[in-house]
Structure formats: C-alpha cells, structure tokens
Amino acid sequence: FTLGLGLSLHNGVPFVFRSKFSAGCFWSDCRRYNITVVQYIGELCRYLCNAPPRPDDGSGHRVRMALGNGLRRDVWVKFVER
C-alpha cells in the first residue's frame, strides 16, 4: 500500500482507495475511476476469482497491470483468464 501511494504522490498519478474491499464492485470501480494499474495485497486476486462471475467482469476496464506479492501461480493463471 505505502509503495503504491508513495509512487502515485511522487509522480502526480491519481490513487484510488476504497474504505472496504468489495469483490462485487471491484471491476465497476476500475471502470468508474479509469484504473490502469492494480496493486494487490495478499488474497485480493483469489477473492476476485472466487466471486460469482458477472457479465461485465472483463469488459470495459482499462486495467493493464496488476502487481503485488504472495500470489500462488494457479490463482494468477485463473485471474488472468477471467
């Protein structure tokens, strides 16, 4: 979190922080705020993969990169596919 926020402030890039994570609202938030890079911590990608699929999950957003740590390869593959 600190790294993402610090780099955003240093480079004048907008930073979006939600007070409570919602797997159901994640992709709509990405579209609403024109998110291009996601910093995940821990299980975020697994939560997104385990959430019920929605028709608009993979469409209309501008996310081009996800970075973080602690993600198992099988979860990453599922996340990218979805």
Side-chain angles (χ1 to χ4, degrees), residues 17-56:
F17 181 77
R18 198 172 215 273
S19 61
K20 185 176 180 183
F21 174 74
S22 168
C25 294
F26 182 82
W27 294 113
S28 62
D29 284 346
C30 288
R31 283 188 291 279
R32 179 181 304 117
Y33 298 108
N34 294 317
I35 303 298
T36 57
V37 178
V38 173
Q39 179 183 3
Y40 61 83
I41 300 170
E43 301 289 334
L44 182 138
C45 295
R46 187 174 61 84
Y47 296 152
L48 292 173
C49 289
N50 289 338
R54 298 173 57 138
D56 61 350

Side-chain angles (χ1 to χ4, degrees), residues 3-15:
L3 179 62
L5 177 59
L7 288 172
S8 294
L9 293 173
H10 177 73
N11 293 301
V13 177
F15 184 88

